[in-house]
DNA sequence: ACAGTCATTTACTAGCGAGTATATGGATTA
DNA sequence: TAATCCATATACTCGCTAGTAAATGACTGT
């Protein structure tokens, strides 16, 4: 079959796929460095070295540094958006939906591209990409807010200003990207479940079912 | 009295005070630019221009750009630390204390130096200042965590991992610095009260006192 | 065999911005 | 009135890094 031959005589599709994979490899090397050292402190020579190539090779796959950062955050934002849309299309009351959404959101925040989203400030992107970045974030915010509103409407979520409630929730979740350490004892799921429990239950203890 | 004469024949103390005030003025111009455009995108020429002076004047008050950023975050962190320590020294149960602390914390996050704290990533500071920055943040984290633990111990706060609960709370509060707009309709207190209400009460609605 | 395309290299440009050397003039002290 | 200090300015250096020009060699399709 083709797969054994492809190393020596790759087909057109093989080469297209390889190009995409190399592009992704650049993004992965870049996002790790961005998360570790920050966007400005990461030179494209750094990224190139991490991949054992030279800088012009990177420019063969991307127009400029901006585009690299944007593609990183886009991947993170797309994951969140897909999670949010999945939740909207499934059933359940507002709180139930929001709970699932927050859990998925939290887990994405423990991963490279997710971390990159909240560690990247708007002003690190320039011009067009910045506008797109903002638009994507706004879109997600609005989806989350709709779920919150739905929950308030069906009575499964306590009343309040949906905008402020949404910011409070996403703030707590976004912040995971600033402290989570994949090498630590806690898995992403542990962190996600704990965050959801605190946000849903609140700090004040709830009486048990039978209690007065 | 001295104040009328001081403009023409300033005393030694007057001149010391003026020096301190000019230092603070530099910090204020700097922090505004840092918050608006980011640390790297802010050149010291920008800061100097905002004050109608030139760059060497700034170096007359600060050793380097690093020191300027550090002094900015230190002011923000000091405010939070004072709020945290004040709460610890006052009375009240764990939840009551934490509620006050979170409110103060939130309000600080709407102000210039507070915003700067959470918008500044560790790696923007170098060497010594970075270590101090981390240490100050850790100290605050531990104080908050102690209050959380106290509340869990006295039963006023629901059980859970104090570390994760603290991160969830401070995350929500830190994030205020990323979206709060002082020119908007909401005052800092409105935002603070809303955030505290959501975090204390949780998303799930609570039954009223008499309800089954 | 040939013209073209692709991936990658070496070697460069160009601009920005942190930080400095040095000058100036006004006030302070001796 | 000389020596000194303080705040500020002008005019510079130097390093870093984004981005580019041009070459090379492998492979492709004709």
């Amino acid at each position: 079959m083709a797969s054994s031959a492809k190393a020596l005589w790759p087909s057109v599709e093989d080469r297209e796929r390889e190009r995409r994979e190399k592009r992704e490899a650049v993004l992965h090397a870049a996002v790790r460095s961005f998360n570790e050292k920050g966007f400005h402190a990461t030179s494209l020579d750094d990224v190139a070295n991490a991949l054992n190539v030279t800088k012009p090779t990177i420019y063969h796959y991307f127009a400029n540094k901006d585009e690299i950062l944007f593609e990183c955050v886009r991947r993170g934002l797309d994951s969140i958006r897909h999670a949010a849309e999945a939740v909207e299309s499934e059933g359940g009351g507002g709180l139930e939906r929001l709970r699932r959404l927050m859990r998925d959101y939290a887990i994405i925040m423990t991963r490279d591209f997710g971390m990159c989203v909240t560690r990247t400030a708007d002003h690190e992107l320039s011009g067009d990409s910045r506008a797109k970045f903002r638009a994507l974030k706004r879109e997600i915010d609005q989806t989350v807010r709709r779920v919150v509103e739905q929950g308030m409407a069906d009575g499964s979520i306590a009343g309040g200003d949906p905008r402020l409630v949404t910011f409070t929730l996403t703030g707590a979740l976004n912040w995971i990207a600033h402290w989570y350490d994949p090498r630590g004892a806690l898995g992403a799921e542990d962190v996600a479940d704990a965050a959801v429990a605190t946000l849903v239950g609140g700090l004040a203890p709830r009486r048990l079912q039978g209690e007065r």
Side-chain angles (χ1 to χ4, degrees), chain A:
Chain A
M1 66 189 289
S3 61
S4 59
K6 93 181 167 226
L8 294 172
W9 297 283
S11 69
V12 173
E13 307 88 66
D14 284 338
R15 266 185 277 116
E16 278 171 1
R17 191 178 41 76
E18 182 164 293
R19 186 164 220 281
R20 276 197 305 277
E21 282 171 3
K22 286 186 179 177
R23 236 181 101 95
E24 293 302 313
V26 171
L27 291 179
H28 256 99
V31 79
R32 276 195 212 106
S33 188
F34 293 163
N35 287 340
E36 188 190 321
K37 314 196 302 181
F39 177 66
H40 287 286
T42 298
S43 78
L44 290 188
D45 282 316
D46 291 341
V47 179
N49 282 337
L51 297 164
N52 293 311
V53 294
T54 58
K55 193 165 47 168
T57 299
I58 291 181
Y59 280 94
H60 194 252
Y61 294 93
F62 295 92
N64 50 44
K65 202 183 173 189
D66 224 61
E67 192 189 7
I68 296 177
L69 178 57
F70 179 70
E71 286 297 314
C72 289
V73 297
R74 196 156 71 89
R75 270 155 186 73
L77 288 166
D78 278 352
S79 302
I80 303 174
R81 217 191 47 215
H82 290 148
E85 284 168 4
V87 153
E88 263 199 324
S89 72
E90 294 164 11
L95 180 59
E96 200 42 54
R97 282 181 168 178
L98 187 56
R99 194 180 248 136
R100 285 203 305 270
L101 173 48
M102 290 194 297
R103 186 172 194 276
D104 291 347
Y105 196 131
I107 288 170
I108 291 165
M109 281 301 144
T110 65
R111 306 224 251 255
D112 286 335
F113 290 124
M115 286 175 76
C116 185
V117 171
T118 50
R119 290 168 112 123
T120 299
D122 287 7
H123 45 248
E124 293 184 299
L125 288 161
S126 51
D128 223 33
S129 351
R130 172 156 40 182
K132 282 190 211 153
F133 183 40
R134 286 219 185 96
L136 287 168
K137 287 196 288 187
R138 196 163 41 241
E139 195 183 324
I140 289 168
D141 175 72
Q142 280 163 358
T143 307
V144 177
R145 203 184 301 181
R146 271 198 304 277
V147 179
V148 169
E149 280 163 351
Q150 190 214 329
M152 288 181 180
D154 70 21
S156 59
I157 292 178
D161 178 339
R163 196 178 83 104
L164 292 182
V165 170
T166 302
F167 279 153
T168 301
L169 300 178
T170 54
L173 300 176
N174 286 334
W175 201 253
I176 293 171
H178 282 78
W179 58 264
Y180 181 73
D181 180 2
R183 297 157 309 184
L186 292 161
E189 288 81 5
D190 303 324
V191 168
D193 289 333
V196 171
T198 297
L199 294 170
V200 171
L203 291 168
R206 292 169 183 268
R207 297 163 197 276
L208 295 173
Q209 197 71 341
E211 270 184 310
R212 259 244 48 99

